Amino acid sequence: MSTLAVRRPDPIDFYDESDLRLLTTVHVILETLSVTKAAKRMKVSQPAVSRSLARARLRFDDPLLLRSSGGMVLTPRGERLREHLGAWLAEGRVLLAQTEVDPQSLQRRLRIASTDQGVVSVIEPSLQALAEAAPKLELSIHPYTADSEKLLANGGVDLVICGGAPDLSRVHARWLFSESHLGLACRTHPGLQDGRMSAETFFAQAHVAVRVPGGLAAAYEEQHPDIRRRNIVITDHFMMAPYLIAGSLAVMTAPSRVARRFEQVHGLVAFEPPTPLPNFDYWITWHERAQRDPEVQWLIQQLCLPFAESPSQP
């Protein structure tokens, strides 16, 4: 009795340029969970990406992603590939990267995990200069979360911008600035007197509070143990706060650079808080994989330029 021989798929050949291109395409498909979105990101045709997916399914002997009632979902093999493939490809880019960067020809998407404050205070001041120096560069901004350091380690993002001291045993970092705080209110707020607000008036108002590590509640309570702020809104994002304040008598406390920008753009009034608040430091961090990536290092230099005249880190 004869048996049917089953031919196993050929393994990936890491010395074959076409296989390396295939892995890059697979990585984008697994990230986007969509052939259409992958084709758009890679600026190629959808049929070309579909053919690459079919080829990858044969080479890995796995469907990699499947259609479900809620959309496309990854198979366990697809999950493992997505977790490790991005980091592996990033390491490969570092090995092959040129030592000098020509910004005008730099065509790459660099991913930054950032807080709202990082976007307003770090990215926005450099954006026009970046657009002129590197017109083909694309920045993909991801919200900063508790998992951002993990994303940095596995290649999910290239940089992280946030407050608080980084763990220098895990990441490389550059200090950007030390930040203070300001109060914010609408211009017609009756509690403002010559651009200031007394502590009694300030604490009597409804407050818009933003959740940040550490927060300001302890600092306020230390200065005024008998007074509690009455929060009318608690949010994770500074960006919605101006719209809540502009049409009400609510007030808020914000980092100084954010407050001054909101004052300019949204017509609010920034004022010194009626009680001293501690300053905090802002940092840009990256993984060891990006330490010798000239394009990421160039971007770091550009983002740090506006703070070159900042006082030295304490």
Side-chain angles (χ1 to χ4, degrees):
M1 179 177 178
S2 63
T3 58
L4 179 65
V6 178
R7 183 178 180 274
R8 296 186 62 82
D10 295 329
I12 292 289
D13 183 355
F14 294 101
Y15 295 96
D16 186 328
E17 185 177 342
S18 64
D19 276 359
L20 291 175
R21 287 197 299 269
L22 175 65
L23 290 175
T24 300
T25 303
V26 169
H27 176 236
V28 178
I29 295 171
L30 297 181
E31 273 199 328
T32 60
L33 297 179
S34 166
V35 169
T36 301
K37 291 178 181 178
K40 185 176 181 181
R41 178 184 292 189
M42 300 181 70
K43 298 179 172 62
V44 297
S45 69
Q46 184 173 331
V49 175
S50 295
R51 288 193 297 271
S52 293
L53 177 59
R55 182 176 162 219
R57 284 168 164 165
L58 288 174
R59 300 301 290 272
F60 288 104
D61 195 22
D62 189 273
L64 301 181
L65 71 167
L66 300 167
R67 190 175 302 280
S68 72
S69 58
M72 302 300 288
V73 295
L74 298 179
T75 65
R77 183 75 183 276
E79 289 279 6
R80 291 195 299 273
L81 276 174
R82 183 170 68 173
E83 181 180 355
H84 299 291
L85 194 52
W88 186 87
L89 289 169
E91 292 284 1
R93 281 195 296 269
V94 172
L95 290 173
L96 298 174
Q98 298 177 350
T99 56
E100 294 184 3
V101 176
D102 175 13
Q104 286 292 314
S105 62
L106 174 55
Q107 187 167 357
R108 181 175 170 186
R109 171 180 292 168
L110 292 174
R111 300 150 300 170
I112 303 174
S114 178
T115 59
D116 285 2
Q117 181 185 357
V119 173
V120 173
S121 304
V122 181
I123 297 175
E124 190 271 340
S126 300
L127 195 59
Q128 185 56 38
L130 284 171
E132 293 172 359
K136 299 177 183 177
L137 173 66
E138 180 179 313
L139 299 182
S140 178
I141 309 300
H142 301 248
Y144 177 81
T145 69
D147 292 328
S148 291
E149 185 176 313
K150 187 183 298 184
L151 287 173
L152 199 62
N154 66 27
V157 297
D158 301 295
L159 298 173
V160 171
I161 301 173
C162 65
D167 183 351
L168 296 179
S169 69
R170 295 175 175 268
V171 296
H172 295 271
R174 281 187 65 171
W175 178 81
L176 295 171
F177 53 81
S178 181
E179 183 67 300
S180 58
H181 296 86
L182 289 171
L184 276 170
C186 69
R187 288 197 175 277
T188 57
H189 199 293
L192 287 169
Q193 300 294 327
D194 298 323
R196 304 184 69 86
M197 188 176 291
S198 68
E200 181 180 1
T201 301
F202 181 75
F203 288 113
Q205 309 306 308
H207 286 246
V208 174
V210 179
R211 295 185 189 92
V212 294
L216 293 173
Y220 278 128
E221 290 170 11
E222 182 178 345
Q223 299 289 330
H224 302 276
D226 299 327
I227 299 176
R228 295 290 183 273
R229 287 186 303 168
R230 180 171 63 87
N231 294 327
I232 191 170
V233 173
I234 302 176
T235 175
D236 291 321
H237 305 288
F238 281 108
M239 293 305 183
M240 68 173 63
Y243 302 99
L244 298 171
I245 293 173
S248 72
L249 296 183
V251 298
M252 75 172 294
T253 307
S256 294
R257 286 172 172 79
V258 172
R260 290 300 185 197
R261 191 65 176 137
F262 287 172
E263 187 177 44
Q264 294 172 352
V265 174
H266 297 283
L268 304 175
V269 174
F271 56 91
E272 290 294 329
T275 189
L277 294 171
N279 288 4
F280 63 97
D281 294 329
Y282 235 73
W283 298 77
I284 184 167
T285 65
W286 61 96
H287 190 263
E288 174 65 26
R289 117 174 16 89
Q291 180 67 3
R292 293 172 181 81
D293 184 331
E295 295 172 347
V296 174
Q297 292 300 312
W298 179 85
L299 177 60
I300 292 169
Q301 293 292 336
Q302 302 311 302
L303 292 174
C304 291
L305 278 178
F307 312 105
E309 303 300 322
S310 295
S312 299
Q313 180 188 356

